[in-house]
Amino acid sequence: MERKEKLMTRDFIAVNAMIFLAYTNLAVFFNLEHHLHTLLIDPRWIGFLISIFSLSGIILRPLISPFLFPANSRRWIVVSTLMDIGALLAYSLASTFWPMLAVRLVHGGAYVCMTAAKMALLVAFIPPGRSGQAFGITSACMLLPFAVIPPLLTPLG
């Protein structure tokens, strides 16, 4: 019988907790459209402002992914998390189109760098032969915030 290496290590759990928190960050923005309608932004641009976050990720991820490895991912995680925090704080300052566009672009770029670096780090903690189980757990950590956070925030809104 083949010996299976342990999957649920402290490092694997820690990286998945960081992934869960990153996706929680994103799930908080389910009510962004409502918020944008309260600002001095032409309603015709709201869909664009919402989508630019994902568009920045679609453009940036293929450019940065070849440079991400477990060995350098911690640095990418720290820098992109600091940028993400800065972008989150900047939302309160952006009340018109151009500042909000800048915030959404920086937030999207920081977010994609952060999550891509976490995935690069995660693979270092997956034993051979356990990748299916590992990515099942990680997928749950990515999806759970979208099931839990919006209903929690609705009463607070």
Side-chain angles (χ1 to χ4, degrees):
M1 184 171 187
E2 187 179 318
R3 181 182 161 279
K4 287 193 174 189
E5 292 184 58
K6 186 176 178 184
L7 174 63
M8 299 304 282
T9 63
R10 184 178 61 104
D11 291 328
F12 179 80
I13 293 168
V15 175
N16 273 290
M18 290 189 305
I19 289 169
F20 174 82
L21 291 174
Y23 281 85
T24 297
N25 168 353
L26 195 57
V28 167
F29 283 87
F30 263 38
N31 288 327
L32 179 63
E33 180 184 7
H34 173 71
H35 172 69
L36 292 175
H37 279 290
T38 67
L39 302 177
L40 301 170
I41 296 173
D42 185 335
R44 293 177 293 182
W45 288 102
I46 289 176
F48 175 75
L49 287 171
I50 291 170
S51 67
I52 199 70
F53 179 95
S54 297
L55 183 60
S56 66
I58 290 169
I59 293 168
L60 191 56
R61 187 176 300 264
L63 299 175
I64 64 163
S65 292
F67 303 103
L68 296 172
F69 305 98
N72 69 359
S73 61
R74 286 179 171 90
R75 185 174 353 147
W76 281 82
I77 291 169
V78 169
V79 171
S80 59
T81 299
L82 292 173
M83 289 178 59
D84 192 65
I85 291 168
L88 290 170
L89 294 171
Y91 275 98
S92 64
L93 305 174
S95 60
T96 59
F97 176 80
W98 290 108
M100 185 59 74
L101 177 64
V103 169
R104 295 290 290 163
L105 284 169
V106 170
H107 188 203
Y111 182 81
V112 77
C113 288
M114 179 177 55
T115 55
K118 289 175 183 178
M119 292 305 284
L121 180 60
L122 180 70
V123 298
F125 305 117
I126 300 172
R130 305 290 299 265
S131 60
Q133 184 183 12
F135 283 103
I137 292 167
T138 300
S139 295
C141 290
M142 294 168 149
L143 294 173
L144 190 59
F146 297 105
V148 174
I149 300 303
L152 289 177
L153 290 179
T154 302
L156 298 174

